[in-house]
Amino acid sequence: MSAPPQAPVAPPAGAPAAHGAPGGASQGAAGGAGAGPSGAIVAALTASGGTESAGFLNDIIANLWPNISVVGRDMTKSIVEPMFASMLPSPLNSLHFAKIDLGKVPIKLGNVDTHKMASGAIKMDLDVDWDGECDIELDGKMIPKIGIEHIKLNGRMSMLLGPIINQMPLVGAAQVAFINPPYIKLKYTDVAAVANIGFIDRSISNVIQSILGGMMVLPNRFLVKLDAKNDWFSTFQFPLGVLKVTVESGANLGEAKESKGFLKKLVHDEADCYVDATLGAETWRTKTINNNRNPEWNESHDFLLSDHDQVVTVECVDDDTTSDDTIGKATVTVKELLLSGASHDLALVHNEQPTEAKIRLKGHFMALVADPASLNSQEEGTHGVLTVLIASAFHISGNREELKPSVKVVWGESNFRTAIKSDSPGADVQNPGFDVAYNVPLSNKVTVHGAAPVRLILMDGEKERGSVDIPLEKVLGAPGMALAEDHKLADGAIIRAAVVIRGTKSLH
C-alpha cells in the first residue's frame, strides 16, 4: 500500500513564476491597438530552431505497429463504444464494433520541433499523418452493418516530457495532445446500401472528435507516467496566459441588397451577422448586428492559452429566423495574430471557396503572474486564474471491490468532478491517482477576495465520504500564492491537492 508523503508538500513546480513566466516559459504580451508585440513575446514566438525529420521514430512505429494496432483496437472498443450509447440518437446508440482491424499502414510522423522549456521539461511538436487501410465493422439494432475501409487523420501534436529527473528513466511523465482538433475523414464500404450515410458519418465523426477533444486536444493532455513515483504537482503545465481576442469589424458580408432577387428582398434585407470565435474547446459569440454588410462589433473575449500554435477559428453567420446561414470561416494561429501586432484581416472561405468577405481581429496576450494586483480590478475581462490540482487520495477504507472513489471540487458556481475509479488489475482503488486540473477564470464578478473557500469532497459512488475547505486567504498568503497540501478527512482518508492563484499582467 502506498502512503502520502510525511514531509510538507512544496508548491507545484510548474506554477507560473512571479516574474511572468507562465507554464515555465518566458512570455510577453502583444501591444495595444496599432502597437507591435513586445520583444519578449517576439522572442518566445520565434524561438524555434527549425524542424527535423522523424525517420528513426517512424522506423520504431513501423516495427511496433502490430502491437500499437492491438492497443488501438482495445482502446477504441472500451472508450468509443460506450460513447455511442450515451451520445448518439436512437437507433445509432445501439452501434457496437463487430470487428476492428487497423491494417498494416502505420502512422507517420514528421517536422519534429524540439526545445527545452524554462521549467526544464522538453517540448516536442510533430506532425501526425495516417492514411490507414482498415477493416472496421459496426453493427446495431434496426440499422444495416456499417463498414469503414479507410481512415485519414492529420494534425499537429505536442509532447511534453517532464519533469526531468536524475535517475532512470530520466523523465517522470509524458503528456501528449493535439495542439488543435485533428482532421479526421472516414471512408465507408457499400455506401449505396446504407441510407442516411451522411448523417451517420457526421454522428460518428462528432463522437470521435468529442472523445479526442476531452482526452488529448489542448488544453487537455493524455498523461503517461514513466516513473511510478512521479508527482502531479511537478508535471502539470499551467496555461501560458490569457489571450484577449477582439472581433472588431466585418466587410462585404453576405449579398448586397441590390444583387438579391425579388423574393429574397421581400423575405430578408441585408445580412444580420454575428461571429463565433473558437480557441481550443471554448467558443464565444458576438452580438448580432442587423442589416449591415460592414458591421462593427468591437467586442472582446478572454481565452486561456495553452500553446502559441493553437488556432483561433472565426465563423461569420447570418442570423435568420428560420435557420442560420454560414457566410464563411477563417483561421489564424495565435502566433500569427500576436506577431501582426495591430489588427489582422481574415478572408472568409465558404464551402472551400474564397469570398470577398473579411473579419478584422486583434489579439492581446497577458501573462499569468504570482501578483495579486490585477485581482482588485473592476474592469471587464479576465484578471487572473484559480487552478485546483487533484493529485491523488490515500487510505480510503472499505471493500476494494465495492469502492468507487472520486473527488468533487466546488467553488461558488464552479463544480468539477474527477473520473470515478474502480478496482481493476494494476490499480490501487484505496489509494487512487487522479492527476487532473481545473481552471476558473477570475474577473470583477468572479473574485477571490472575500469569496467562499474551495471545497474538496471525497466521493464513493454518489455518497460523500468527507470534505475539507481550503480558505483562499490562506492560498493568497502562501509563497507564490500556491498552496499544496495533504488534506486529512475525518475518517482518516487523505486528499492530495493544490490550489494556485494567478493574476494577469500585460508586458508591453
Side-chain angles (χ1 to χ4, degrees), residues 128 130 151-155 178 180-186 209:
V128 177
W130 187 35
I151 299 177
K152 172 66 175 176
L153 182 146
N154 181 269
F178 284 102
N180 297 292
Y183 170 82
I184 298 175
K185 181 65 176 177
L186 308 178
Q209 287 285 10

Side-chain angles (χ1 to χ4, degrees), residues 166-186:
N166 293 324
Q167 60 188 39
M168 295 300 292
L170 300 180
V171 176
Q175 298 180 75
V176 182
F178 284 102
I179 297 173
N180 297 292
Y183 170 82
I184 298 175
K185 181 65 176 177
L186 308 178

Side-chain angles (χ1 to χ4, degrees), residues 315-506:
E315 180 179 11
C316 184
V317 182
D318 185 1
D319 189 1
D320 285 342
T321 54
T322 53
S323 62
D324 293 354
D325 300 319
T326 296
I327 293 174
K329 293 183 179 181
T331 61
V332 61
T333 67
V334 174
K335 184 183 296 185
E336 292 170 330
L337 186 62
L338 294 180
L339 285 175
S340 66
S343 300
H344 197 88
D345 288 331
L346 299 179
L348 300 185
V349 174
H350 182 65
N351 290 334
E352 301 183 359
Q353 298 298 317
T355 71
E356 295 183 356
K358 294 182 178 180
I359 295 293
R360 176 165 290 187
L361 287 186
K362 184 169 64 178
H364 182 83
F365 180 78
M366 293 174 285
L368 295 177
V369 293
D371 184 344
S374 67
L375 302 178
N376 298 315
S377 175
Q378 294 303 307
E379 296 181 2
E380 295 291 329
T382 300
H383 307 310
V385 176
L386 182 143
T387 300
V388 181
L389 305 179
I390 305 297
S392 54
F394 297 94
H395 302 328
I396 302 175
S397 60
N399 187 327
R400 295 176 59 90
E401 296 179 354
E402 297 177 355
L403 286 176
K404 304 290 182 183
S406 64
V407 176
K408 287 180 68 174
V409 179
V410 180
W411 183 60
E413 297 183 0
S414 299
N415 196 321
F416 309 101
R417 187 173 182 175
T418 70
I420 298 174
K421 302 295 183 175
S422 60
D423 192 35
S424 60
D428 186 353
V429 73
Q430 292 181 313
N431 302 280
F434 297 106
D435 295 338
V436 293
Y438 305 106
N439 293 305
V440 181
L442 303 175
S443 66
N444 60 331
K445 298 177 181 178
V446 181
T447 178
V448 295
H449 294 296
V454 173
R455 173 163 291 183
L456 307 180
I457 306 171
L458 180 63
M459 306 290 295
D460 183 5
E462 298 306 313
K463 177 184 176 181
E464 292 189 11
R465 293 283 301 258
S467 64
V468 61
D469 288 346
I470 305 174
L472 295 185
E473 293 82 2
K474 187 176 180 181
V475 180
L476 289 167
M481 299 198 303
L483 184 66
E485 292 183 328
D486 296 330
H487 302 278
K488 190 170 184 178
L489 308 182
D491 67 350
I494 292 172
I495 299 175
R496 180 170 168 78
V499 179
V500 183
I501 298 174
R502 286 293 173 264
T504 58
K505 184 176 183 180
S506 294

Side-chain angles (χ1 to χ4, degrees), residues 32-34 243-251 275-279 284 286 297-301 303 311-315 329-334 336-338 340-348 358-364:
L243 178 72
K244 182 181 291 294
V245 174
T246 301
V247 179
E248 294 185 328
S249 60
V275 173
D276 282 336
T278 301
L279 177 68
W284 160 74
T286 69
W297 288 280
N298 291 313
E299 295 182 50
S300 300
H301 182 75
F303 295 90
V311 166
V312 178
T313 300
V314 293
E315 180 179 11
K329 293 183 179 181
T331 61
V332 61
T333 67
V334 174
E336 292 170 330
L337 186 62
L338 294 180
S340 66
S343 300
H344 197 88
D345 288 331
L346 299 179
L348 300 185
K358 294 182 178 180
I359 295 293
R360 176 165 290 187
L361 287 186
K362 184 169 64 178
H364 182 83

Side-chain angles (χ1 to χ4, degrees), residues 91-105:
L92 293 182
N93 59 357
S94 67
L95 281 174
H96 61 273
F97 289 100
K99 181 180 182 181
I100 302 176
D101 183 351
L102 300 183
K104 298 181 180 180
V105 179

